[in-house]
Amino acid sequence: MREKRVEQARQAMAAAALDAILLWKDENVRYLTGKSAVLNGCLLLPGREPILLASGGEVQRARVAMPWLEEIHAVPIMEAGGLVRGAVEATIKPLVEKHGLLGCRLGLDECGFTLVQALGELLTDVRLGDGDAAMHQARLIKLPDEIALMEEAAAIAEAVTQAAIDA
């Protein structure tokens, strides 16, 4: 299911004329990696597994639990301006350069102004675009496996509710 989700996101990314998407919203990162992502990000590129940007304490855990990810990089908790700028300078910019994204159109989902500002200042060759709309499009139509999981969850909830009523 994860591979199908990544492919749907890539198709939505291409339809939105984006070369890559940098994601920070929990639902978007979780959709692509399976990792609950309150403090994590993800870079989606064409033709490869998503790149996880995890808070330092999560990196080793993610490597063990998510062996399908080829790249996992540590980033600080993205709240303070200096930390955000440092993450762009030390991690995100080198990834953009390494993967040939200079001059590209990089989609962003919802993120803080300090991140947008740091990307604009440190990645002057990159054009920013709306990656959130592309991810909404990718997640809009549910895969058959997703529907089956939702039906199973609903059946469990109904059984638990009935057991509570009976008790």
Side-chain angles (χ1 to χ4, degrees), residues 42-160:
C42 175
L43 178 63
L44 179 64
L45 305 164
R48 60 171 298 129
E49 289 295 328
I51 298 169
L52 184 65
L53 305 170
S55 60
E58 292 293 312
V59 170
Q60 187 58 37
R61 230 172 298 167
R63 284 195 175 115
V64 170
M66 303 161 68
W68 59 86
L69 293 178
E70 298 164 5
E71 281 190 65
I72 301 172
H73 298 275
V75 292
I77 296 172
M78 303 285 278
E79 1 179 80
L83 293 174
V84 171
R85 186 176 181 85
V88 172
E89 201 165 33
T91 305
I92 297 170
K93 182 178 180 181
L95 281 174
V96 165
E97 292 169 346
K98 173 184 173 183
H99 293 288
L101 297 174
L102 291 177
C104 86
R105 188 157 183 254
L106 177 66
L108 292 174
D109 65 0
E110 293 179 6
C111 60
F113 175 74
T114 54
L115 178 59
V116 174
Q117 187 177 33
L119 290 169
E121 291 173 6
L122 297 169
L123 293 172
T124 56
D125 294 339
V126 172
R127 294 168 289 128
L128 300 179
D130 183 2
D132 203 37
M135 288 306 298
H136 279 284
Q137 189 62 40
R139 295 188 345 255
L140 181 66
I141 309 280
K142 301 303 177 205
L143 298 165
D145 290 344
E146 291 172 317
I147 293 169
L149 287 173
M150 288 186 280
E151 289 172 344
E152 182 178 352
I156 291 168
E158 288 174 8
V160 168

